[in-house]
Amino acid sequence: MSDSDSFINEVSEEVRRDRMFSLWRKYGAFVIGGIVAIVVGAGAKTWMDHQAEIAAQRAGGALLAAAEGSPEAAADALTALAAETEHEGAAILARLRAAAALIDAGDEGAAIAIYDEITASTTVDPLFQEFAGLRSVLIRSADMPAADAVSALAPFATGTGPFRLLALEAQGLAHLKGGDRDAAGLAFRTIMQDQRAPNGLRQRVEAVMTAVGIAPDDSPVPDTNADTGANG
């Protein structure tokens, strides 16, 4: 390389360095600010996630503690927890468990009120809304005529909702209560043929079908109760 070429390269390097310094003086503060913002943002997210985890753990512990004791005491403690906690998930779970405790305490009216309030809420997760709605209907349907119970359960027993099979089971029992074995058999067989049906549900339905003489398929089964009554 000639002396002239070396000199040109050195000049070019100085020019590039001057430009870099000039750009750094002009935009360096913004670059540093951006880096700081990224670091602070990541740190803040980590801190918030940690705080959310701590809040969830505290709420979970409070739920367990509130559920101890008599059903009446548990209902009062869980209701208070639902009103006081800032953890949204813990609040809804506390309300649902409070309703269950009220049922155990014999106060079905208060439990229904909680379930209906959750069902009507526009801020509650739809899954909890549907669960609360079904629970309310199940409690009230015990005192309904069979046909009314079947109708009340219909919105939950149709479609692909998460509690469809439980609603079908309740409909089947309501049909039996009303003396409609064919309709009960249809509901029970729908459950047994559904691959998503939990084992516990299958076992309950199978036990009922066996006890009342409903066949696992569409074949007719003699009504042994009717025969026994006729012979008696």
Side-chain angles (χ1 to χ4, degrees), residues 85-96:
T85 182
E86 296 180 358
H87 192 281
E88 184 178 354
I92 185 65
L93 289 176
R95 292 166 69 191
L96 290 172

Side-chain angles (χ1 to χ4, degrees), residues 79-170:
T79 300
L81 174 62
E84 295 169 359
T85 182
E86 296 180 358
H87 192 281
E88 184 178 354
I92 185 65
L93 289 176
R95 292 166 69 191
L96 290 172
R97 293 190 63 176
L102 286 167
I103 294 172
D104 292 339
D107 194 348
E108 293 185 346
I112 289 174
I114 293 176
Y115 288 136
D116 289 346
E117 182 181 354
I118 294 173
T119 304
S121 174
T122 58
T123 60
V124 173
D125 187 290
L127 182 67
F128 291 130
Q129 281 184 305
E130 186 163 352
F131 174 78
L134 177 59
R135 288 290 293 159
S136 177
V137 171
L138 287 174
I139 297 171
R140 290 184 284 110
S141 65
D143 297 324
M144 292 180 182
D148 292 343
V150 171
S151 296
L153 290 162
F156 304 96
T158 56
T160 58
F163 306 110
R164 169 177 168 269
L165 297 179
L166 290 176
L168 276 173
E169 178 189 23

